[in-house]
Amino acid sequence: MTLAIDRTSTITTLAEAGPRVPETVAEPAPTALGATPETVAPHHIPTVAGASLRVPLVTGETVGYANLDHAASAPCLDAVRTKVDEFLPWYASVHRGAGFASQVSTKLYERTRDVLRRFVDARRTDTVVFTRNTTDSFNLLARSLPRHTTVIVFDTEHHAALLPWPGPNVRRIPTPRTRLAAVSAVDEALADSPQGPRLVVVTGASNVTGELLPVAEIAAVARKHGARVALDAAQLAPHRRISIKELDVDYVAVSGHKLYAPFGAGALIGRADWLRAARPYLAGGGATKLVTEDAVVWNTGPERHEAGSPNTVGVYALGVACETLGEHWDAVVAHERALLTRLRKGLEGIPGCAELRLFDAAVDRVGTVSFVVDGFDPGWLAAVLSAEYGIGVRDGAFCAHIAAKRLIGVTGGTGQQAVRVSLGLGSTEEHVDRVVLALRQIVARGARWEYAKADGRWAPVGDPRELPPFC
């Protein structure tokens, strides 16, 4: 991405963001991970802000923060932070500003659409609409569906993909225990659905279990029935290459805050016809071509659904993150797979620990593992891990309540909540080993501090830790 504006301009472009080398990276142990250091290539992994963050414990010590909650929101890439800081002096209005800074901002904003197209290997005719996140993207798509569209969606989806669809023609189907059965379930649902426009909504990777869904196979079935496919890539995009062309899907939704660009931008990428024909998602400036006393002429491009002053900084950050990840995919995947192997092997040795799984057979997955430990409240476990070990994990039902309840029942549990450990570029071997050791110690001898529920959540009683001054 090149900015042909002025030779003397000091701003650099997305394409100029080269790889950053972390100062220190722990070498993986080949015997534990089944991979050599050269395979994992840790020195090629993009670094993240907060890698050296230290947090207080209730016991008075401070430790390096073990961020094992990437599936909720990933930390900011150092490359993103650097580029955003560089861009901020140039930040100005977009599209209608005559000033030079406005021209710079407009150029970066619009060219980021091409970055997103390349990131997901989109078709030349696909449009890119900038949104806030995946939830926003699917609500936009839901508002753009032709009348009487039948929507088919697995009931174990994240709420962002499960809830936006309007009208009576929404069919939620249970997720079977095999990938083949999942494809067959979509086939049967489409065969039983009425004629007319139809949309299949499917996640790329489960935010509960990390397991990859058979997206290409589901898309092939959808094509047979003349249906379209919308891919929830919120959990897949930070961990794997995505190709709209190879998967043969029609829409892809991504969130910047999952992609190491926590500045509030996302995108819906896909076929333009339904979006062009729909009423604007928001009514306001930027979506309009002409407004008179009697009528409004709306834009027909992506700006039709981007009314108001856009999140230019967030969009630029999203583009930088996508380009940075795109330069390091092999190292990113190897790093996360090695840590995932280490984590799952460690959890197997914890008494009473049961991992949640969508499918009976082993499938490819991203670095997310949810589990329950017999006899231990997940919220209490998460509180102890944070307060006594400096580990950040997620507890609850992960905005996928149906999935969590069903999968916990498969393990023999009766609750509706679990603990989730999710890995990413901010994760290290030490983090993985620490959470495994901590869980072993907690199961064996309990907590060192007293805990009680406050406002529905477990917290240390008389927590002596102070928040940072800026809070």
Side-chain angles (χ1 to χ4, degrees):
M1 180 173 174
T2 304
L3 276 178
I5 297 178
D6 191 325
R7 284 186 187 175
T8 62
S9 174
T10 58
I11 190 168
T12 55
T13 65
L14 295 177
E16 293 168 359
R20 295 177 58 86
V21 180
E23 295 178 3
T24 58
V25 178
E27 291 288 320
T31 54
L33 302 179
T36 65
E38 290 75 21
T39 300
V40 178
H43 56 286
H44 292 304
I45 297 169
T47 57
V48 298
S52 59
L53 179 67
R54 297 188 66 81
V55 295
L57 305 181
V58 290
T59 50
E61 306 97 327
T62 61
V63 296
Y65 183 54
N67 184 352
L68 298 176
D69 193 19
H70 286 68
S73 284
C76 182
L77 281 173
D78 280 332
V80 169
R81 180 172 63 173
T82 297
K83 291 298 179 182
V84 166
D85 284 346
E86 185 180 17
F87 168 57
L88 284 176
W90 296 83
Y91 166 70
S93 63
V94 299
H95 295 148
R96 292 168 297 282
F100 190 77
S102 290
Q103 295 177 45
V104 171
S105 294
T106 299
K107 186 80 72 172
L108 288 178
Y109 184 84
E110 288 301 326
R111 289 192 176 181
T112 301
R113 298 191 202 275
D114 293 329
V115 174
L116 268 293
R117 285 191 188 92
R118 291 193 297 272
F119 184 70
V120 299
D121 190 27
R123 297 166 289 259
R124 181 181 56 82
T125 55
D126 283 338
T127 192
V128 177
V129 181
F130 292 123
T131 62
R132 292 179 298 170
N133 44 45
T134 302
T135 301
D136 199 30
S137 293
F138 278 143
N139 275 271
L140 162 60
L141 183 58
R143 286 274 297 273
S144 303
L145 298 181
R147 291 187 64 189
H148 308 302
T149 297
T150 298
V151 177
I152 295 169
V153 57
F154 288 114
D155 63 1
T156 51
E157 295 280 345
H158 187 283
H159 294 166
L162 182 70
L163 300 180
W165 316 107
N169 297 326
V170 179
R171 182 169 178 184
R172 296 180 182 175
I173 56 178
T175 304
R177 296 297 297 179
T178 70
R179 286 165 56 94
L180 181 60
V183 177
S184 297
V186 173
D187 193 5
E188 294 170 5
L190 286 168
D192 291 342
S193 64
Q195 292 299 310
R198 286 169 288 182
L199 179 71
V200 178
V201 182
V202 61
T203 189
S206 169
N207 79 302
V208 177
T209 69
E211 292 165 291
L212 271 58
L213 277 288
V215 176
E217 293 86 346
I218 288 172
V221 165
R223 289 286 171 265
K224 182 179 74 172
H225 292 279
R228 295 190 178 188
V229 178
L231 173 63
D232 176 358
Q235 298 295 334
L236 183 63
H239 306 280
R240 295 286 193 278
R241 290 186 180 91
I242 294 175
S243 172
I244 283 182
K245 296 174 185 174
E246 292 181 9
L247 294 173
D248 198 19
V249 297
D250 300 275
Y251 303 96
V252 169
V254 297
S255 289
H257 74 105
K258 312 284 190 187
L259 279 162
Y260 305 94
F263 292 90
L268 177 67
I269 307 130
R271 301 193 185 277
D273 53 348
W274 286 2
L275 297 170
R276 188 186 304 119
R279 290 182 58 84
Y281 185 42
L282 297 173
T288 58
K289 185 178 293 184
L290 176 67
V291 178
T292 69
E293 290 85 350
D294 304 313
V296 177
V297 179
W298 302 102
N299 281 315
T300 56
E303 61 271 20
R304 179 183 185 87
H305 299 292
E306 295 176 355
S309 296
N311 180 4
T312 308
V313 174
V315 164
Y316 178 63
L318 176 59
V320 174
C322 288
E323 284 209 335
T324 303
L325 287 172
E327 295 168 358
H328 301 279
W329 273 129
D330 290 344
V332 168
V333 173
H335 168 74
E336 293 180 4
R337 280 181 170 161
L339 293 182
L340 179 61
T341 299
R342 194 182 192 100
L343 172 64
R344 296 183 72 196
K345 187 176 296 185
L347 292 178
E348 287 176 0
I350 297 174
C353 182
E355 183 182 316
L356 307 189
R357 294 169 55 174
L358 285 172
F359 303 119
D360 292 331
V363 300
D364 192 13
R365 58 197 296 162
V366 300
T368 295
V369 178
S370 294
F371 58 89
V372 291
V373 181
D374 188 32
F376 291 88
D377 183 287
W380 181 87
L381 276 175
V384 177
L385 289 172
S386 173
E388 299 184 23
Y389 296 91
I391 301 170
V393 298
R394 199 76 161 183
D395 67 278
F398 320 121
C399 293
H401 294 177
I402 296 174
K405 180 179 179 180
R406 182 176 302 161
L407 298 180
I408 291 169
V410 170
T411 70
T414 57
Q416 300 185 32
Q417 297 187 336
V419 177
R420 184 180 68 188
V421 173
S422 50
L423 309 167
L425 295 178
S427 307
T428 68
E429 286 184 18
E430 189 278 326
H431 295 165
V432 170
D433 292 345
R434 195 194 314 176
V435 73
V436 170
L437 177 61
L439 287 167
R440 287 176 181 165
Q441 292 177 346
I442 294 169
V443 170
R445 64 181 189 228
R448 292 172 288 171
W449 201 270
E450 184 181 352
Y451 295 82
K453 279 194 173 181
D455 298 323
R457 292 195 60 81
W458 288 98
V461 175
D463 191 343
R465 297 171 297 173
E466 294 183 1
L467 296 175
F470 56 80
C471 288

